[in-house]
Amino acid sequence: MSGDLIFLMFILMLAVFLGLELISKVPATLHTPLMSGSNAISGITLVGALLAAGAADNTPLSIGLGTAAVTLATINVVGGYLVTQRMLGMFKKKRGGRQ
Amino acid sequence: MSVYIQLAYLLAAFLFALGLKLMSSPETARWGNLASAGAMFLTVVVTLLHTEVVEYQWILLGVLVGSAIGSLAATRLQLTEMPELVALFNGFGGGASLLVGWEAYHRQPVQDPLGAVTILLAVVIGGVTFSGSLVAWGKLKEIGWRSFRLSRPLLFPGQQSINFLLLAFLCLGGVVYGLDSPESQTLFLVLMALAFLLGVMVVAPIGGADMPVVISLLNSYSGLAACAAGFVIFNNILIVAGALVGASGLILTNIMCKAMNRSLTNVLFSGFGAAAGKTRKGTGGDPRPISAKDAYFILEAARSVVFVPGYGLAVAQAQHGVMELGELLEDNGCEVRYAVHPVAGRMPGHMNVLLAEANVSYDLLVEMEDVNPTMETVDVCVVIGANDVVNPAARDDSESPIYGMPIIEVDRARVVIVLKRSMAAGFAGIENPLFYKDNTRMLFGDAKSSLHSVLGEFK
């Protein structure tokens, strides 16, 4: 068990560094889409919610908590990606430029 | 867990990282978002194939309800409501992590210390994110009752000691809980309630103009909450994705703090807007009001114009007017740019999104560091609804509360036209000497109607 934990901590450390490197290259113009996009990624907790809501022999409380978690995480994921795509669709460069 | 699921998670982790990488340019950013969404879809689908997932009816219910609400909110809301929406979505992410932790506790109350601590971390970070984001949402939404305005900093004596006590109690309770992991739910529920309270207390004292920092920080927390949930269920994709989000929020927080020349602790604990009561009278002289016609003559003769938008632009919904004016000026042979301060507006990049919505070409949006060195060659700077981010006191007056904050140095342009409702001070109550400078002209009135009057003169 603790071996697994150490392994996950390695992943965590490398992922944090990767994130810092990648995100420091995002231009200020895209900070809002970056934020709403990464916000959608944080809905990844949906995986945990699915495992909780879908488990066998759940008590009513487990079902309630799991279903609520699935709902909240889905709002986060679906809404987050859609709104990011909508925003990014507005960032246009005029072709040829005006006179 | 089967090896196929793990391989799919590996692919998803790659796509999440690729998605962020593609966000480094507006040309590829849409593909980045699609890659990220694809990674999420892949992760969800393979998770449903997991052998532990046997009951599908509740999942179906949650996914349907969540998708309906999420897609409605994302497609129907006005883009000016974006800061509120981001805050709300963020809170939901944190709330979901809290619920995952709570469910894990309910399933198996007695844990080894490590398990207990990871569950508690998911619940506490998730709880702080949830309640903090809701307060932030209320502040952005300008919720209020009679004279009470949530968007104002909420300060009271002893606030910091209370916050400190809360935090200390949370840590202490966490240690007790981790060592003992009692079957009784009381301690667990008390700690959860304290996390909610802490989220409220941390965000309540923060003023409207500091929201970019808070939103970024809460964004970071929601990632950390997902990370903690990943440790609870021993799932590597949660940890990778959560860490990416945590890092993203951290970088944005740092950029926002730097752009205000303040430390994070200062933003979180000082309640800037309420504390800065000391105002100094301007550098003397009277402001020089002009009419829309005068503004037209100045702009018509200009060869180079820089627009500097602030939160007032969003409030007045004046972005389309700015774009129209910009296009007319370009047709007139003038070089037009839009200079955006990192903390202008209520969230990072707020002004860029507004201008993009109005069809302003993104290559005309320039950052503070790039525009300042060229200021002397600019004929006219048009300041729309921005105040503190163009206040020369931040550069010249060592007694000013915002001294040292980097600003867009519009006062170095030949002429500055300031669109402003009245002479009232900015959010921080700081007098702005810019309005009294010889090269500054004030065009009073609502930004949208002022712009339309100027546009009328052009046509």
Side-chain angles (χ1 to χ4, degrees), chain B residues 212-234:
Chain B
V213 181
V214 180
I215 299 267
S216 317
L217 193 66
L218 289 169
N219 189 28
S220 180
Y221 286 171
S222 73
L224 295 180
C227 236
F231 276 100
V232 171
I233 59 170
F234 269 76

Side-chain angles (χ1 to χ4, degrees), chain B residues 43-57:
Chain B
T43 310
V44 169
V45 169
V46 298
T47 306
L48 290 176
L49 302 176
H50 201 288
T51 45
E52 280 175 31
V53 179
V54 288
E55 304 259 8
Y56 287 95
Q57 70 275 34

Side-chain angles (χ1 to χ4, degrees), chain B residues 210-262:
Chain B
D210 287 346
M211 285 328 274
V213 181
V214 180
I215 299 267
S216 317
L217 193 66
L218 289 169
N219 189 28
S220 180
Y221 286 171
S222 73
L224 295 180
C227 236
F231 276 100
V232 171
I233 59 170
F234 269 76
N235 187 303
N236 48 23
I237 191 72
L238 256 74
I239 293 172
V240 171
L244 292 176
V245 179
S248 148
L250 211 62
I251 287 189
L252 287 177
T253 310
N254 193 26
I255 293 174
M256 297 302 120
C257 284
K258 269 199 189 135
M260 296 198 293
N261 189 38
R262 294 165 64 196

Side-chain angles (χ1 to χ4, degrees), chain A residues 1-2 4-5 7-9 11-12 15-94 98-99, chain B residues 9 16-17 21 23-26 29-30 33-34 36-37 40 43-44 47 52-55 58-59 62-63 65-67 70-71 74-75 77 79 82 85-86 89-90 92-93 96-97 99-100 102-103 106-107 114 215 219 222 226-227 229 231 233-236 238-241 243-245 247-248 251-252 255 327 330-331 347-350 352-353 356-357 359 361-363 365 367:
Chain A
M1 199 69 169
S2 72
D4 283 353
L5 189 72
F7 176 67
L8 290 180
M9 283 177 161
I11 293 181
L12 173 65
V16 168
F17 269 97
L18 177 66
L20 292 174
E21 278 304 311
L22 286 176
I23 284 136
S24 53
K25 303 217 167 43
V26 177
T29 305
L30 292 178
H31 275 168
T32 298
L34 167 69
M35 210 172 57
S36 73
S38 62
N39 189 3
I41 299 179
S42 74
I44 188 75
T45 199
L46 178 56
V47 169
L50 293 175
L51 292 173
D57 310 324
N58 265 343
T59 64
L61 182 60
S62 268
I63 290 174
L65 294 174
T67 311
V70 171
T71 311
L72 288 184
T74 309
I75 295 176
N76 192 196
V77 167
V78 173
Y81 281 121
L82 282 178
V83 95
T84 309
Q85 201 65 11
R86 189 174 156 201
M87 267 192 277
L88 287 173
M90 298 183 314
F91 281 86
K92 287 187 212 100
K93 195 164 158 182
K94 278 174 212 144
R98 295 169 60 96
Q99 184 57 40
Chain B
Y9 283 175
F16 277 131
K21 169 104 184 121
M23 285 291 258
S24 57
S25 150
R30 295 192 74 181
N33 191 50
L34 286 176
S36 180
M40 185 65 76
T43 310
V44 169
T47 306
E52 280 175 31
V53 179
V54 288
E55 304 259 8
W58 302 113
I59 291 179
V63 167
V65 173
S67 303
S71 51
T75 50
L77 280 183
L79 278 154
M82 212 41 65
L85 194 64
V86 170
F89 282 163
N90 201 44
F92 288 167
S97 293
L99 291 171
V100 168
W102 189 358
E103 203 280 334
H106 173 70
R107 184 177 299 273
L114 271 176
I215 299 267
N219 189 28
S222 73
C227 236
F231 276 100
I233 59 170
F234 269 76
N235 187 303
N236 48 23
L238 256 74
I239 293 172
V240 171
L244 292 176
V245 179
S248 148
I251 287 189
L252 287 177
I255 293 174
E327 293 207 325
E330 281 190 321
D331 290 345
M347 66 177 166
H350 192 176
N352 298 291
V353 172
E357 187 211 350
N359 265 327
S361 179
Y362 64 75
D363 52 349
L365 305 174
E367 295 180 27

Side-chain angles (χ1 to χ4, degrees), chain B residues 121-312:
Chain B
L121 274 179
V123 168
V124 167
I125 303 176
V128 169
T129 311
F130 180 69
S131 63
S133 297
L134 286 188
V135 176
W137 170 78
K139 278 177 181 282
L140 291 165
K141 198 102 182 134
E142 304 272 337
I143 283 176
W145 189 71
R146 293 196 179 171
S147 69
F148 173 76
R149 283 274 164 280
L150 194 60
S151 56
R152 290 208 197 108
L154 201 71
L155 294 164
F156 53 87
Q159 192 163 18
Q160 291 183 39
S161 339
I162 292 178
N163 282 354
F164 180 76
L165 276 177
L166 256 177
L167 199 61
F169 198 81
L170 258 176
C171 292
L172 194 73
V175 170
V176 171
Y177 172 79
L179 289 178
D180 197 22
S181 185
E183 247 175 292
S184 132
Q185 290 205 351
T186 319
L187 182 59
F188 180 81
L189 293 176
V190 165
L191 290 175
M192 187 159 69
L194 285 180
F196 282 137
L197 190 59
L198 188 67
V200 174
M201 295 286 288
V202 165
V203 180
I206 291 165
D210 287 346
M211 285 328 274
V213 181
V214 180
I215 299 267
S216 317
L217 193 66
L218 289 169
N219 189 28
S220 180
Y221 286 171
S222 73
L224 295 180
C227 236
F231 276 100
V232 171
I233 59 170
F234 269 76
N235 187 303
N236 48 23
I237 191 72
L238 256 74
I239 293 172
V240 171
L244 292 176
V245 179
S248 148
L250 211 62
I251 287 189
L252 287 177
T253 310
N254 193 26
I255 293 174
M256 297 302 120
C257 284
K258 269 199 189 135
M260 296 198 293
N261 189 38
R262 294 165 64 196
S263 68
L264 183 58
T265 42
N266 180 285
V267 174
L268 289 182
F269 299 117
S270 72
F272 198 54
K278 194 178 68 168
T279 56
R280 291 167 23 117
K281 191 60 201 147
T283 46
D286 290 313
R288 295 169 184 77
I290 55 168
S291 69
K293 205 174 187 75
D294 303 330
Y296 161 70
F297 285 128
I298 297 171
L299 286 169
E300 207 271 330
R303 298 293 90 191
S304 157
V305 170
V306 170
F307 289 99
V308 183
Y311 182 57

